[in-house]
Amino acid sequence: MKLSNSVSGALRTFAYFMASGTCRGLEGVDCLSLYGNEPSAIEQAYAIFANVLEFDELGTVTNNDYATQRATQYIRSYLDDTFQEEPPFADWELALH
């Protein structure tokens, strides 16, 4: 089984916005400084995105905005000690598979 075009597209788009520093929710946050310096933070953000991402029986992503929001909340909280994600991350969101 392969990822659907919808899931593949969601992952690709998230990667682009993260790598370009233009991800919604990270305005004014220097997330690009993590690349090459804090790979575990980037790894965790992608794990959260993948763990939260949901799709229907046809493989169509149903919650791309929420998955992106949760991943960017992690990056923001990683770089800004005053930021608190809401709701707090559940263990399953943070799991590295």
Side-chain angles (χ1 to χ4, degrees):
M1 178 182 276
K2 288 186 157 193
L3 291 178
S4 69
N5 289 343
S6 180
V7 174
S8 178
L11 288 169
R12 177 198 50 79
T13 301
F14 181 69
Y16 171 81
F17 286 125
M18 287 294 295
S20 68
T22 59
C23 204
R24 280 178 305 200
L26 291 177
E27 296 85 0
V29 175
D30 182 17
C31 62
L32 294 179
S33 66
L34 297 173
Y35 287 87
N37 296 313
E38 299 286 338
S40 62
I42 300 298
E43 175 187 32
Q44 186 65 69
Y46 276 87
I48 291 168
F49 181 81
N51 290 342
V52 173
L53 196 68
E54 296 177 352
F55 47 93
D56 63 18
E57 62 280 346
L58 299 175
T60 302
V61 174
T62 60
N63 71 339
N64 186 63
D65 289 344
Y66 185 67
T68 299
Q69 176 189 9
R70 294 302 281 163
T72 57
Q73 283 181 345
Y74 173 78
I75 294 293
R76 185 173 284 278
S77 68
Y78 187 88
L79 292 170
D80 178 357
D81 292 338
T82 66
F83 181 80
Q84 292 293 312
E85 69 278 352
E86 186 58 41
F89 288 110
D91 290 342
W92 66 267
E93 290 177 291
L94 300 170
L96 298 174
H97 299 283

